[in-house]
Amino acid sequence: MSVTLRPAESADLLPVGALHQRSRVAAYSSFLPTEALADPTPEAMGEYWVHRWTWERADHLMTVAERDGVLAGFSYFGPDDAGDPATGLLNAIHLEPTERGRGVGRALMVDALTNMRARGWRRAVLWVLRDNTPARHFYERGGWRPTGQQRDEMIGQALTPQLRYTRPL
């Protein structure tokens, strides 16, 4: 049961959206209300990725992970959202819920960091939901550290505090 990584193609985007929605529900349901996670639908999340990729594919990279030819997860990164030319932003790592703890997330993170380094960035940053303790531990095991910055974003009707993390490349 091997895992392979490859750059995403346009045909991957709708399945990536459905996986993204399943991942969000599984990862966030312990601290966000059910109604906050009901929208968007898996189909709408797929359309979101089709639209986003259309505009960002020139300077962002989506990598998909497959286990025996079946989508297992994805990562997505691009330039820093604060405009620092020496920094890349890891926008997302999402896994099929059954893949948690099986090494796919780690493989996607290592791959993203390698690709960020290859782009000449010296530092990586990300935003993680403050209450997503498993994700925070995952990133901390990978060498990421909180910067002290926080922002609040809406997921559905739920205000969700996010923490900024960083690590050298």
Side-chain angles (χ1 to χ4, degrees), residues 12-89:
D12 295 314
L13 299 175
L14 293 176
V16 158
L19 179 147
H20 187 180
Q21 180 61 4
R22 288 189 299 276
S23 175
R24 286 167 36 118
V25 169
Y28 307 161
S29 63
S30 66
F31 59 89
L32 287 179
T34 303
E35 52 276 3
L37 297 170
D39 190 45
T41 65
E43 296 79 15
M45 188 66 89
E47 290 299 325
Y48 162 82
W49 279 110
V50 167
H51 179 76
R52 183 170 181 179
W53 201 58
T54 298
W55 294 105
E56 294 181 341
R57 67 190 286 182
D59 62 359
H60 284 66
L61 178 65
M62 178 183 283
T63 298
V64 296
E66 296 176 323
R67 183 180 301 278
D68 299 322
V70 177
L71 184 63
F74 74 96
S75 66
Y76 191 70
F77 74 82
D80 178 36
D81 59 346
D84 180 356
T87 301
L89 175 67

